[in-house]
Amino acid sequence: MMTWTLTMIAVAQLPVLCVLLAAGALAKVWTARGDAEPGALGRLGPAVLVPDRWRASAMLVCAAGEAALLAGLLASGHPAFRWATAGFFAMSTYVLWELRRQRPDVGCGCFGEVSAAPVGLRSLGRTTVLTAMAAGTVWAPPVSGWSLLTAMTWPDALAAAGGLVVLAALSPEIEEAAARIRHRAPCEQRPMPPEQALHRLRASPVWRAHERLLASGEPVDSWRELCWRFFVYPGRSRTDEPVDVVFAVYLSGRHPAVRVALVDAAGQPVDAGTLTESIPVSARG
């Protein structure tokens, strides 16, 4: 009984995978064709991983790969397409991990420009869950996604709905889309008082982890770049050298990303330790 239930749940995730692949491919095409706001590709992976002139092409290649996987899952129950889908999401998880580590200021681009929020644990969790879903279908009966969609039973629908709920909970894009509906403007064009961003900063664990390095509780400089607000504080490094402690606060989402960097008098980055991720050099003002 348990084996049958697990098999039924695994098979029911095929429509979920198809929906995510279709949404990702369409959103990437929309963004790459220039229908997004200017500069969107410069804030998104995988486009940010290649030179400027290749960014639109990289986005379209990724969309074409998703479309090919979608067609294979819909038309065939062959395990090759299911293995390829599992491999695609596993590779995506690795790429997002590298983006989070090396470029914490950019978004995953999973659903085009709406995925501009910095890569966080939720985005990583989503691709991990999708990898598990795709791997589970490998051992499921070789039924095509289209035949499952056209003959879906209530148990199948409930299992698929459960998978969608889990993925929705791991999708920061839903919050961004809701914010766009409320404000009718992309993140970089929405007004946010510096005081509100400062409150978000002081409520974050990044602030608490570095507060002891500050020589003053008030910033000496502040500016905004697109969806980020930067605050500069005088401070001392862990080797007791004078430094500027630069905090960056993302201006969208209920739990916005906060980054930190230590900069010496010559403008060179100083090791901020392993307590949190630092601001990449390209994001500093």
Side-chain angles (χ1 to χ4, degrees):
M1 180 65 179
M2 179 64 70
T3 301
W4 179 86
T5 302
L6 292 175
T7 301
M8 183 270 291
I9 293 174
V11 173
Q13 302 317 309
L14 272 174
V16 177
L17 295 170
C18 291
V19 168
L20 268 290
L21 289 169
L26 290 173
K28 289 181 179 67
V29 170
W30 177 274
T31 301
R33 284 174 57 86
D35 294 319
E37 70 264 16
L41 292 180
R43 305 189 302 275
L44 304 174
V48 76
L49 302 176
V50 298
D52 290 351
R53 66 181 183 275
W54 298 112
R55 285 177 175 172
S57 298
M59 190 74 74
L60 289 174
V61 167
C62 189
E66 289 176 312
L69 292 173
L70 170 63
L73 291 178
L74 285 174
S76 171
H78 197 283
F81 293 107
R82 300 181 181 185
W83 276 116
T85 304
F88 171 79
F89 286 120
M91 182 178 65
S92 299
T93 303
Y94 172 75
V95 171
L96 292 189
W97 177 263
E98 287 297 309
L99 277 177
R100 177 179 168 85
R101 189 172 62 88
Q102 298 185 19
R103 288 295 307 272
D105 59 312
V106 304
C108 71
C110 306
F111 297 98
E113 61 165 328
V114 76
S115 299
V119 176
L121 294 178
R122 291 170 68 190
S123 297
L124 282 167
R126 180 176 61 202
T127 54
T128 302
V129 169
L130 287 168
T131 302
M133 284 181 174
T137 63
V138 172
W139 289 275
V143 58
S144 69
W146 182 254
S147 63
L148 183 62
L149 281 170
T150 56
M152 183 171 284
T153 64
W154 278 108
D156 292 335
L158 289 174
L164 286 173
V165 168
V166 171
L167 294 174
L170 295 172
S171 297
E173 291 85 358
I174 294 177
E175 296 169 8
E176 176 64 20
R180 292 189 181 204
I181 292 173
R182 289 197 307 269
H183 299 284
R184 303 294 182 184
C187 170
E188 58 269 23
Q189 297 177 12
R190 293 179 215 147
M192 175 177 285
E195 296 78 12
Q196 186 175 348
L198 187 60
H199 175 74
R200 290 185 170 193
L201 168 62
R202 290 176 173 169
S204 70
V206 175
W207 170 269
R208 293 191 295 272
H210 294 81
E211 187 175 11
R212 65 180 181 274
L213 302 178
L214 306 182
S216 171
E218 296 299 325
V220 296
D221 195 7
S222 176
W223 69 93
R224 176 170 176 169
E225 293 184 13
L226 299 176
C227 287
W228 293 89
R229 166 67 67 172
F230 293 83
F231 296 96
V232 181
Y233 289 81
R236 313 288 297 187
S237 71
R238 290 176 172 81
T239 59
D240 204 35
E241 297 293 327
V243 294
D244 286 333
V245 184
V246 185
F247 293 98
V249 182
Y250 195 70
L251 302 180
S252 183
R254 290 182 301 173
H255 305 287
V258 178
R259 306 293 188 238
V260 66
L262 274 59
V263 183
D264 63 20
Q268 297 302 311
V270 178
D271 183 16
T274 58
L275 293 175
T276 186
E277 294 163 298
S278 61
I279 304 168
V281 173
S282 60
R284 295 185 193 122

